Amino acid sequence: MYGPTDLKKNVLITLDGQPYKVIEYSQKVMGRGGSIVNVKVKNLITGALLPKTFKGQEKIEPAEVTTRKVQYLYKDDEKFYFMDPESFEQYELNSDLVGDAKDYMRDGDEMEIQFYNGTAINLTLPKNLWLKVTYTETAVKGDTTSSVQKDATLETGVTIKVPAFIKTGDVISVDTETGAYRERQK
């Protein structure tokens, strides 16, 4: 069992028999040692967002979620297809469940699918991925400080902001949660 202060971003909990993921977390300490924890949670089955407040010594049940490593195979008009590299079992996820992760997925990439009572409920990418820049404008000479940002299209088709010194063909690290540039491969 969790206490309210154990809740942090990305922690999985059960509310009313449904699995939820903590999206936002804030704690207010009240006088005389009490505290209130405000969270925004996302239902991992319906996708609904819900604000929730927990007080003091409330007990929160962790979600019984299993995780399997999978390999991304391909997508069609409605679904994304994955395979367990050990058992060769295949899974399909609706595009609404994949969400923004689709912007960073390449055929053959490894990621994780989370299951709740045998049903796929969540897809988790590695925190950082190395992706190749397929197109970006050439920097103006002398304008190559890291504070100047420009658009770059990556091999997956997504466009992100990168420093001016990044060129087409560079391989860069991208934070998959925020879509932010991290570093250029040496």
Side-chain angles (χ1 to χ4, degrees):
M1 288 292 201
Y2 291 130
T5 55
D6 295 326
L7 299 181
K8 302 288 182 241
K9 192 173 179 181
N10 296 325
V11 170
L12 302 175
I13 61 173
T14 301
L15 297 173
D16 303 322
Q18 299 270 309
Y20 286 83
K21 179 180 185 177
V22 176
I23 304 296
E24 293 176 14
Y25 169 91
S26 67
Q27 180 179 0
K28 293 180 187 165
V29 177
M30 310 301 276
R32 299 199 176 234
S35 68
I36 294 176
V37 173
N38 292 312
V39 294
K40 187 178 281 184
V41 291
K42 179 180 182 181
N43 186 311
L44 293 176
I45 295 175
T46 66
L49 290 175
L50 178 74
K52 195 83 174 143
T53 301
F54 297 102
K55 296 180 179 92
Q57 301 301 318
E58 276 187 73
K59 295 292 179 206
I60 302 130
E61 189 178 333
E64 294 297 324
V65 173
T66 58
T67 302
R68 290 195 187 123
K69 280 201 179 301
V70 295
Q71 190 173 27
Y72 173 55
L73 298 175
Y74 65 95
K75 76 179 199 85
D76 60 22
D77 294 340
E78 302 164 9
K79 297 186 186 288
F80 289 79
Y81 297 88
F82 303 87
M83 178 184 69
D84 183 318
E86 292 176 11
S87 69
F88 302 110
E89 190 174 347
Q90 291 193 14
Y91 308 100
E92 51 187 60
L93 298 180
N94 290 329
S95 53
D96 58 332
L97 192 61
V98 172
D100 292 339
K102 71 181 180 323
D103 294 337
Y104 305 103
M105 294 179 356
R106 296 172 298 191
D107 294 353
D109 278 355
E110 284 199 356
M111 51 206 66
E112 294 179 339
I113 294 181
Q114 293 173 322
F115 293 86
Y116 182 77
N117 291 339
T119 304
I121 57 166
N122 192 26
L123 175 71
T124 308
L125 291 176
K127 172 91 171 105
N128 303 300
L129 284 176
W130 291 96
L131 297 170
K132 187 173 186 176
V133 176
T134 56
Y135 176 77
T136 190
E137 296 289 329
T138 306
V140 177
K141 194 169 186 83
D143 193 12
T144 55
T145 64
S146 60
S147 62
V148 177
Q149 300 274 298
K150 63 181 181 177
D151 288 340
T153 304
L154 306 179
E155 63 185 292
T156 59
V158 70
T159 300
I160 67 165
K161 293 284 187 192
V162 297
F165 60 82
I166 298 296
K167 303 182 298 293
T168 298
D170 283 351
V171 176
I172 62 171
S173 177
V174 178
D175 182 321
T176 58
E177 282 184 20
T178 63
Y181 164 85
R182 289 193 59 252
E183 65 179 319
R184 177 172 58 177
Q185 196 172 45
K186 307 284 187 261

